[in-house]
Amino acid sequence: MSVVSLSFLLEIERCELNLTSPLPRPESDTEVTFGLSEKSVEGSGDSTWAASAVLGRSADTVLLTVRSSVDAPIGLYSLTLNQDGTKTGLGDFTLLFNPWCPRDAVYMSSKDKRSEYVLSQHGILYRGTPKRIMPLAWNYGQFEEGILDICLKILDDNPKFVSDADQDCSARRNPVYVTRVLSAMINSQDDRGCWWWAQTGPVRYGQCWVFAAVACTVSRALGIPCRVVTNFGSAHDTDANLLIEKMYSEDLENLSDDSIWNFHVWVDSWMSRPDLGPEYGGWQASDPTPQETSEGIFCCGPASVNAIKQGELTKKYDAPFIFAEVNADVVEMVQLPNGKVVKLGGSTTSVGQCISTKSVGSDQRHDITHKYKYAEGSEEERRVFEKAQHHNKLQKKGLEPGLQLKIKLVEDMVVGSDFEIFALLTNNCMDSRSCSLMLFAQSVAYNGKPGDSCGFSSQRLDIEPGQELRVPLKLEYQSYGPVLTPDRLIQVSALSVDKQSMDFCKAQKTIALDEPDIHIQILGKVQVNSPVGVDLTLMNPLPESLHKCSFTAEGAGLTGTQPITVEVGEVGPSEKAKAHMELCPTAAGPTVLLVNFDSKELRNVKGFINVEVKKKKKKKQEVIGNM
């Protein structure tokens, strides 16, 4: 964490407290000002900083109490007293996450669990096989001299701090953000990481249990409850399809990228997840061992353990990868010399066994497999796996589980015609759904101002898994014509409500109705100072007569200083409005003739034609001489 300072501005009857950082900004909560009170501010849980000062036991001492904001960024703070412009440094302190504070994001209510997952400097890791699980004692040493400084240095060395220190410092109030940074920084795949810890030289090797143990040390040092977890039969799914596809040649040479590790070790960290919802708070899995990239860097998590158990793979971060580690199915195949692939067998139970961590308050192994998944082979476990596969496929297509709603338009939506638009309702769930669907249509102006309604339908629908329903709404001219603005825009909205989940889904599109074409025909050559005729024609697309019809034309160098208007009168349904006008070009070169058609019922129809005006050729003079 970057150094953050607190300054006291002491006036005759008032003092203030300022929180600053290398880039102090009130907007980032890296700089804050508040008053000093004579009343006690002990306790925790408020969302603001506060301080109090009372006389000490001797006349020349003052007892100062500072209470931090519950969501203040963690890091190193320095205190400075400002008395009538004279500044005095009072010392430094480090602010950490607080698992004892009920409003802190890492609050853990159990005293025994806080003692185990925050205060304990020793632990046990597990290695081996499910049949022979071997414990390994480990010294986390999070309270050893210099360790906290190193942990803060790790945060300051992360690339996000280097690129934007202000944003990074502000984000350190969130244990989700800090845990993700640690997942990336514990390894050195994208950066130096923390491998400069060793004073005797660089660390040359790192196994998964070392990465996880270091992550546990740093997390506990920063106040985040943390435990080390071992997964036996841990899958590494490289193509994110939740299957471990083992492909062999005829002589059993491994041809696949997917693999299953005998065991793999990561960490669980305890925190709330307001970004996901209260049901996904608690233990969050993160993995500092560099296996696959996440958002472009080698890190993994934090992912809600409950989300993994429930197969909710749309919940960030990296839930599909961790789900596969504990619950992927295995498929074994042989590739023959002719390229044909033959299935050998597979397993739905070999991945994710005996998921283990140290018990609270004892050296016994605690099996937490049931926290990550339902019992192998159970109906619930198979249902969750199928659900996860379904969600994973949707994610790859950029879709979300649930009902999906779109509006599809047809071609040739010409003003005056009747046509249908369609709501496309798709069920991306794994079970049938009952829902209501409403379709609305209303006129709208170019600036988004809504007009009157011109179409509505409502119905109840049952939709099967994977099914797409095409629900029409017919828009008739007799309904939309009277409310249409000169912009000829209709806004169509669709709303579906899932009766089981009460989830709402909305889609909206604005229709720009096609206008009829104005046919422009220039009669003859277009030359400077030579009159030329123009015929204008427009077919009435409406099922009613047009009244007070007129054509107006203008063009630089074609119509003079004023537009030319020709009144047409009344034009019946499917009849043509026709007009003739004379132009007299005044300048040679390219120009454009703009034409506008107006009537009481159909207004502001536009058309144009490019015109090339030629210079008028001079006549040759005939010369007669003497013979």
Side-chain angles (χ1 to χ4, degrees):
M1 177 67 183
S2 59
V3 177
V4 183
S5 67
L6 285 165
S7 301
F8 288 91
L9 305 177
L10 184 60
E11 301 174 355
I12 296 176
E13 297 180 350
R14 181 173 179 268
C15 75
E16 298 177 348
L17 189 63
N18 291 337
L19 170 64
T20 60
S21 73
L23 297 170
R25 289 190 339 121
E27 298 84 356
S28 305
D29 283 342
T30 51
E31 179 181 6
V32 63
T33 302
F34 51 92
L36 181 67
S37 172
E38 295 183 2
K39 297 181 180 179
S40 173
V41 294
E42 294 181 1
S44 60
D46 287 347
S47 58
T48 58
W49 286 81
S52 65
V54 297
L55 291 176
R57 293 182 178 179
S58 60
D60 59 349
T61 61
V62 174
L63 178 62
L64 178 67
T65 303
V66 179
R67 187 194 66 212
S68 67
S69 166
V70 71
D71 59 352
I74 65 168
L76 182 63
Y77 290 71
S78 63
L79 286 169
T80 304
L81 179 67
N82 188 327
Q83 185 175 12
D84 295 332
T86 302
K87 296 183 179 182
T88 305
L90 299 182
D92 300 336
F93 70 88
T94 301
L95 184 67
L96 306 176
F97 293 111
N98 187 358
W100 284 262
C101 173
R103 289 186 59 193
D104 198 292
V106 300
Y107 173 65
M108 182 171 268
S109 60
S110 168
K111 178 181 178 181
D112 291 339
K113 290 182 179 180
R114 289 197 303 262
S115 178
E116 178 69 45
Y117 299 130
V118 182
L119 300 179
S120 178
Q121 296 198 78
H122 304 279
I124 296 177
L125 285 57
Y126 297 95
R127 301 179 298 169
T129 68
K131 299 295 185 182
R132 183 173 172 77
I133 298 176
M134 298 180 293
L136 173 66
W138 196 274
N139 177 22
Y140 298 122
Q142 68 267 29
F143 302 130
E144 294 293 321
E145 183 178 358
I147 293 298
L148 182 56
D149 292 336
I150 294 173
C151 296
L152 296 177
K153 177 64 174 173
I154 290 174
L155 296 181
D156 276 354
D157 274 3
N158 94 83
K160 294 182 179 180
F161 176 81
V162 175
S163 63
D164 191 336
D166 175 66
Q167 183 176 347
D168 179 73
C169 288
S170 180
R172 294 180 193 179
R173 73 187 68 233
N174 184 355
V176 176
Y177 177 85
V178 172
T179 299
R180 190 155 173 80
V181 168
L182 294 181
S183 173
M185 288 297 293
I186 297 301
N187 66 73
S188 59
Q189 202 74 9
D190 306 292
D191 38 58
R192 289 199 311 148
C194 64
W195 295 109
W196 39 265
W197 280 26
Q199 296 180 358
T200 57
V203 176
R204 297 183 180 276
Y205 305 102
Q207 299 92 346
C208 61
W209 62 91
V210 179
F211 288 123
V214 171
C216 185
T217 296
V218 179
S219 297
R220 291 185 182 182
L222 297 178
I224 302 174
C226 188
R227 66 187 183 187
V228 177
V229 174
T230 301
N231 175 40
F232 292 92
S234 189
H236 183 162
D237 180 19
T238 57
D239 56 3
N241 64 354
L242 307 186
L243 297 175
I244 301 302
E245 297 157 310
K246 290 189 171 183
M247 181 76 70
Y248 301 99
S249 65
E250 279 190 307
D251 55 3
L252 295 184
E253 177 188 359
N254 187 5
L255 304 177
S256 57
D257 294 325
D258 287 351
S259 61
I260 299 177
W261 298 15
N262 290 331
F263 66 92
H264 182 46
V265 187
W266 59 74
V267 294
D268 284 347
S269 302
W270 182 271
M271 64 194 70
S272 62
R273 289 302 296 267
D275 57 327
L276 304 183
E279 67 270 34
Y280 298 110
W283 290 116
Q284 312 290 316
S286 65
D287 189 355
T289 299
Q291 296 188 75
E292 300 291 335
T293 59
S294 173
E295 296 182 340
I297 60 175
F298 279 95
C299 67
C300 183
S304 165
V305 171
N306 188 43
I308 294 167
K309 180 175 181 177
Q310 302 302 332
E312 295 289 345
L313 303 193
T314 60
K315 308 298 182 184
K316 56 184 178 183
Y317 293 90
D318 308 308
F321 185 81
I322 299 174
F323 180 91
E325 287 185 302
V326 300
N327 211 14
D329 283 356
V330 179
V331 178
E332 295 184 313
M333 298 166 287
V334 172
Q335 188 174 56
L336 303 179
N338 61 5
K340 184 179 180 180
V341 174
V342 178
K343 185 176 178 180
L344 280 178
S347 171
T348 62
T349 61
S350 59
V351 167
Q353 301 182 49
C354 303
I355 304 175
S356 305
T357 191
K358 178 184 175 300
S359 295
V360 174
S362 79
D363 291 338
Q364 299 299 311
R365 183 181 71 88
H366 179 38
D367 193 303
I368 57 172
T369 307
H370 64 288
K371 296 292 186 180
Y372 272 87
K373 62 180 182 178
Y374 291 96
E376 281 288 6
S378 66
E379 181 179 339
E380 191 68 11
E381 186 266 340
R382 285 292 88 191
R383 183 193 67 80
V384 168
F385 181 81
E386 291 173 3
K387 171 185 173 182
Q389 274 199 319
H390 180 70
H391 284 194
N392 201 43
K393 291 177 181 177
L394 292 177
Q395 276 190 304
K396 288 185 176 182
K397 295 178 180 179
L399 303 176
E400 294 289 337
L403 296 178
Q404 181 187 18
L405 187 60
K406 293 182 180 180
I407 294 175
K408 184 174 179 60
L409 306 180
V410 297
E411 296 181 355
D412 299 325
M413 294 181 294
V414 180
V415 62
S417 64
D418 298 340
F419 54 88
E420 288 183 330
I421 58 95
F422 297 89
L424 300 182
L425 184 66
T426 306
N427 183 5
N428 289 329
C429 303
M430 297 184 64
D431 52 2
S432 299
R433 294 289 179 177
S434 295
C435 68
S436 62
L437 176 66
M438 291 174 285
L439 281 165
F440 311 84
Q442 64 183 143
S443 65
V444 63
Y446 77 95
N447 60 3
K449 184 178 180 180
D452 294 330
S453 174
C454 57
F456 175 78
S457 72
S458 177
Q459 52 189 300
R460 296 179 64 90
L461 301 168
D462 293 320
I463 181 169
E464 298 299 318
Q467 184 181 10
E468 179 184 84
L469 294 179
R470 185 181 174 99
V471 181
L473 174 65
K474 188 169 185 178
L475 296 180
E476 299 178 331
Y477 175 73
Q478 65 179 11
S479 297
Y480 72 76
V483 301
L484 203 62
T485 71
D487 304 306
R488 287 185 284 278
L489 300 176
I490 298 176
Q491 188 177 77
V492 180
S493 303
L495 179 68
S496 67
V497 183
D498 188 325
K499 294 301 182 180
Q500 288 99 314
S501 64
M502 292 307 295
D503 287 337
F504 288 75
C505 192
K506 181 183 178 183
Q508 192 171 76
K509 275 193 176 180
T510 299
I511 301 170
L513 296 179
D514 295 332
E515 59 186 34
D517 293 329
I518 299 176
H519 181 67
I520 306 171
Q521 183 180 13
I522 296 180
L523 309 173
K525 296 180 180 181
V526 184
Q527 296 180 340
V528 175
N529 297 325
S530 293
V532 63
V534 178
D535 282 344
L536 305 175
T537 307
L538 178 139
M539 174 71 75
N540 178 10
L542 306 186
E544 60 179 324
S545 296
L546 303 179
H547 299 84
K548 297 183 179 180
C549 301
S550 66
F551 287 96
T552 299
E554 63 175 327
L558 294 175
T559 58
T561 59
Q562 296 294 327
I564 300 174
T565 299
V566 177
E567 304 289 343
V568 177
E570 181 178 340
V571 177
S574 301
E575 292 183 356
K576 292 181 179 181
K578 298 180 180 181
H580 177 84
M581 59 180 60
E582 294 287 330
L583 306 179
C584 189
T586 58
T591 187
V592 177
L593 181 66
L594 305 176
V595 179
N596 182 79
F597 175 85
D598 257 325
S599 69
K600 183 179 178 182
E601 296 76 13
L602 183 63
R603 299 184 57 193
N604 206 27
V605 180
K606 304 289 187 183
F608 74 94
I609 188 172
N610 293 311
V611 179
E612 182 72 31
V613 181
K614 303 292 186 180
K615 291 182 180 180
K616 195 170 184 180
K617 294 182 179 180
K618 294 181 180 180
K619 292 183 179 180
K620 292 183 180 181
Q621 294 182 351
E622 184 177 353
V623 179
I624 301 176
N626 295 326
M627 297 295 297

